[in-house]
Amino acid sequence: METVGEAVAELVLTLLACLALIVYMSWSFSPRLTMAGAGLLSLFLAHGAWRIFRDPAKGRRRRGLAAVTTAGFRLTAATGVFLLFYGTGCGCL
């Protein structure tokens, strides 16, 4: 189980490093577009959180954009929780 956790953590950290490189390169190309992209990502995650934590209407399921933003928020939150628990238990901090 520890090996699986390490493999998943390595994958997540690699993806975060690639994201940091993309942000750095984007910032050097155009700071305004980078901030616009960060704003859109924030709106995406905020909409997903809003759809998760609000009271659903009776008889309505999540469809389309709501389902995508909810899945994106859940994935981001799960990744954050995983890194928090893994980071505190690895003895490297």
Side-chain angles (χ1 to χ4, degrees), residues 28-91:
S28 66
F29 177 70
S30 174
R32 288 182 182 164
L33 285 177
T34 304
M35 293 305 293
L40 286 175
L41 180 63
S42 297
L43 285 174
F44 177 81
L45 294 175
H47 184 263
W50 178 68
R51 294 293 293 185
I52 285 175
F53 294 116
R54 70 173 231 168
D55 293 332
K58 291 185 178 183
R60 296 191 70 197
R61 295 185 352 214
R62 289 186 177 96
R63 294 185 183 163
L65 179 65
V68 172
T69 59
T70 301
F73 177 76
R74 286 185 185 194
L75 180 66
T76 304
T79 301
V81 169
F82 173 75
L83 288 175
L84 178 71
F85 287 143
Y86 184 78
T88 57
C90 71

